[in-house]
Amino acid sequence: MYLAIRELRFAKIRYSLIACILLLIAFLVLFVTGLAQGLAFDNAASIQKMDASHFIMEKDANHRFTRSVLNNQSLIEAGSIAGQENVQPLSLRMTTVTAEGTNLKTDVTLLGLRPDGWLMPKVVEGKAISSQGMGQVLVDCKLKDSGIRIGTVIVDQASGLKWTVGGFVSHESFSHTPAVILSEYDYHQFQVKSAPRTGAEEAANETRYNAIAVKVNEKQSEQLATLLPNAQIVTKADAVSAIPGYKEEQGSLLMMIIFLFIISSFVLSVFFYVITIQKSSQFGILKAIGTRSSYLIRSIAIQILLLSTTSLIVSVLIVRLVEAILPSGMPFQLHMSSVALTSGAFIAMSLAGSLFSVWKVTRIDALNAIGRSAA
């Protein structure tokens, strides 16, 4: 510890430059991590926030809500296993709406939910919709940026139906589009209006859902799979991963984070390896007077820990400052658990990058190093 701190104090400029590079790399890693988590949440916020353990979908839907169609009989059968209080229908459709009197089009996701069910999100402004409140909808707060307010009438482009905004909900989105939440009745009317002419009569006579949200344990999920041979029981994680573009988006960002870790390891390795070569004669003299290689190795490890830890603390503070000034519409989330995990991985990669320096220290010959210093 003594040698490591004395050297850091002696060569302030050299180690300050290394610390600045580590700070920039750590900031970039944390920022991309926050962006990846923010995009993941924005892509599937409505599904992730639902208090459901599994979703029942059509067998050939490939875990995708938009490809699945279930009837009311499936809902009744699911309730016989899970209990009617643990079963909720879920309808979902992506569409385009405009505020009445304007030409501004906005892509949204319509969610058909039971107003008194446990899938219904908390209202942050305005009032909740009820089964009797036909034509009233809840919308995500992001739609405020499009000029939509409580009392605004929005018009669906596909069906021509009009709904009045009764309240706002927070962080409700699907596939990066804000959610518009309808009651079961209003969503059924939307299904009838938007159905092709040949299927309009069938749609009017039968209520259909995209999925059924259930709260069950593993044993009950197996029973549901046996009872519903034409459906599949999908976990929430699998349902989220099947959202179009979710895995591809997260895979690309994860690859960026991995490469940033690898780059930081190489950068640190090169810096400390060069510095170790420059100090070969000093290390040789220390060895000649009886200093053990383990002590020198600990000194290098302490230097790396001090530099990487300091850089991480400063980078976390900068990331939090940047997060505070980012626009509300930018998807960015960085939880403390992610900060801890990323910081631990960063320090581990930094220590791994010092292995070249450690190897060089162990191979320094005291007599040769002293001879080069004397020459």
Side-chain angles (χ1 to χ4, degrees):
M1 175 69 80
Y2 175 79
L3 178 62
I5 294 177
R6 286 288 299 231
E7 189 175 7
L8 289 173
R9 291 176 61 184
F10 178 77
K12 297 183 183 69
I13 297 177
R14 174 193 297 170
Y15 288 107
S16 295
L17 291 173
I18 296 175
C20 287
I21 293 173
L22 288 175
L23 187 152
L24 292 173
I25 294 175
F27 170 79
L28 190 56
V29 170
L30 289 170
F31 188 81
V32 174
T33 301
L35 186 61
Q37 292 182 347
L39 287 169
F41 183 73
D42 185 69
N43 202 351
S46 292
I47 305 303
Q48 289 181 347
K49 290 174 63 179
M50 289 180 177
D51 187 21
S53 62
H54 297 74
F55 293 95
I56 303 174
M57 299 185 191
E58 193 176 2
K59 191 171 185 179
D60 298 325
N62 294 327
H63 298 181
R64 293 197 176 184
F65 291 98
T66 52
R67 296 179 180 177
S68 173
V69 178
L70 298 173
N71 54 30
N72 198 54
Q73 182 63 31
S74 299
L75 183 67
I76 297 172
E77 292 177 350
S80 66
I81 298 294
Q84 296 297 333
E85 70 280 2
N86 295 321
V87 174
Q88 289 288 301
L90 170 62
S91 301
L92 181 151
R93 179 85 65 87
M94 300 182 72
T95 186
T96 302
V97 299
T98 58
E100 192 173 41
T102 69
N103 295 322
L104 181 62
K105 296 181 179 180
T106 305
D107 293 328
V108 300
T109 297
L110 302 180
L111 293 177
L113 306 176
R114 285 182 176 173
D116 56 349
W118 44 264
L119 288 183
M120 184 63 66
K122 181 181 179 181
V123 179
V124 297
E125 184 180 345
K127 60 181 181 179
I129 57 177
S130 63
S131 302
Q132 290 75 29
M134 295 179 291
Q136 296 285 322
V137 296
L138 300 175
V139 300
D140 184 72
C141 290
K142 287 182 182 178
L143 288 176
K144 289 183 179 180
D145 297 334
S146 301
I148 293 176
R149 301 290 184 266
I150 293 177
T152 299
V153 176
I154 58 176
V155 184
D156 176 60
Q157 188 177 18
S159 64
L161 291 174
K162 297 181 180 181
W163 305 297
T164 302
V165 176
F168 286 95
V169 291
S170 179
H171 301 300
E172 291 291 335
S173 58
F174 181 87
S175 194
H176 296 303
T177 60
V180 174
I181 300 172
L182 291 73
S183 66
E184 269 189 299
Y185 175 83
D186 286 329
Y187 192 88
H188 181 65
Q189 297 304 310
F190 166 76
Q191 282 182 317
V192 174
K193 276 282 188 177
S194 58
R197 292 181 179 274
T198 54
E201 184 176 347
E202 182 181 355
N205 294 330
E206 184 179 9
T207 302
R208 295 188 174 187
Y209 312 106
N210 291 101
I212 299 171
V214 295
K215 293 190 285 189
V216 294
N217 54 38
E218 289 301 319
K219 182 178 179 180
Q220 289 175 317
S221 67
E222 293 174 0
Q223 293 175 339
L224 285 173
T226 303
L227 182 65
L228 302 169
N230 295 323
Q232 54 185 183
I233 315 302
V234 183
T235 63
K236 185 190 289 188
D238 288 339
V240 168
S241 297
I243 294 175
Y246 182 90
K247 289 192 294 186
E248 294 78 5
E249 182 179 83
Q250 291 301 300
S252 300
L253 291 169
L254 179 61
M255 188 65 67
M256 289 174 60
I257 294 171
I258 292 173
F259 272 109
L260 285 172
F261 275 122
I262 295 173
I263 290 169
S264 65
S265 178
F266 272 106
V267 168
L268 199 63
S269 300
V270 171
F271 270 108
F272 276 93
Y273 186 68
V274 171
I275 291 173
T276 303
I277 292 175
Q278 292 175 344
K279 298 186 299 183
S280 295
S281 57
Q282 291 93 324
F283 283 137
I285 293 171
L286 289 171
K287 279 192 170 185
I289 62 176
T291 305
R292 295 182 178 181
S293 295
S294 59
Y295 180 82
L296 298 177
I297 291 170
R298 283 200 304 272
S299 176
I300 293 174
I302 290 171
Q303 287 178 349
I304 293 173
L305 282 174
L306 288 174
L307 288 171
S308 58
T309 303
T310 304
S311 301
L312 275 169
I313 292 172
V314 177
S315 63
V316 169
L317 294 176
I318 296 175
V319 166
R320 291 304 184 191
L321 177 63
V322 172
E323 182 181 5
I325 62 177
L326 285 175
S328 59
M330 185 170 182
F332 186 90
Q333 284 190 346
L334 190 61
H335 304 294
M336 287 307 300
S337 58
S338 300
V339 172
L341 181 62
T342 303
S343 300
F346 186 81
I347 292 174
M349 291 295 289
S350 299
L351 288 172
S354 68
L355 291 178
F356 283 117
S357 301
V358 171
W359 173 77
K360 184 65 178 178
V361 169
T362 59
R363 293 178 62 86
I364 291 175
D365 184 81
L367 293 177
N368 289 338
I370 292 172
R372 287 196 301 272
S373 179

